[in-house]
Amino acid sequence: MIGLLQRVTQAQVRVDGDLIGSIDTGLLVLVAVQPDDTEARAERLLERLLGYRVFPDADGRMNVSLRSRGGGLLLVPQFTLAADTRKGTRAGFTAAAPPALGERLFSYLVATARAAHADLATGRFGADMQVSLVNDGPVTIWLEA
């Protein structure tokens, strides 16, 4: 699984103009599922997201995790993160999981996150979403599990 983590002061996702998820300070994570991914990889990605030290400590160093600090976690499915861009001018998506597997594992990630982190919001799998954010730092990190 791929998680593109962004430290934010606010983020939201809309579908057809309706607000379906929003957070204040925390992490916006765009999530891509790949064909060989499993529930164990989803659990590993969540563990990394909650424990990754991206928030500043008293000295301004990135030493504090979402788990330690608190804040929102907004998970948004985005299969295009698995794009193959090595040749040509159009991305290929054979490295993305088939939709049924992607939806199942994204739902599993969300359910597992809901049990582990109180302040959780999500996008909608398969929907045309509009995501807006204020990236804090900016801090953007590519994580794989």
Side-chain angles (χ1 to χ4, degrees):
M1 285 186 114
I2 300 167
L4 184 67
L5 171 157
Q6 297 176 82
R7 187 178 77 188
V8 299
T9 57
Q10 63 182 15
Q12 64 182 15
V13 60
R14 293 180 178 275
V15 173
D16 295 328
D18 295 327
L19 181 66
I20 65 164
S22 67
I23 61 168
D24 290 320
T25 300
L27 299 178
L28 164 64
V29 183
L30 304 175
V31 178
V33 179
Q34 296 175 294
D36 293 335
D37 286 338
T38 62
E39 287 85 358
R41 285 190 182 163
E43 292 167 9
R44 175 68 178 136
L45 180 61
L46 179 61
E47 183 60 30
R48 294 193 76 202
L49 294 172
L50 295 177
Y52 220 72
R53 297 178 302 168
V54 296
F55 295 97
D57 63 14
D59 296 324
R61 295 191 176 144
M62 291 195 305
N63 277 326
V64 180
S65 69
L66 185 65
R67 180 180 285 127
S68 298
R69 179 192 187 287
L73 177 61
L74 175 55
L75 299 173
V76 177
Q78 187 173 352
F79 81 96
T80 60
L81 284 177
D84 181 355
T85 60
R86 291 176 289 185
K87 53 186 174 175
T89 57
R90 183 173 181 267
F93 296 104
T94 58
L101 176 63
E103 184 171 18
R104 182 174 64 79
L105 288 178
F106 180 76
S107 295
Y108 180 82
L109 176 67
V110 168
T112 305
R114 202 172 301 286
H117 191 76
D119 190 356
L120 178 74
T122 70
R124 183 176 303 147
F125 191 91
D128 181 13
M129 297 174 281
Q130 291 72 51
V131 179
S132 60
L133 67 137
V134 177
N135 192 315
D136 182 23
V139 174
T140 301
I141 298 172
W142 179 282
L143 292 177
E144 291 188 58

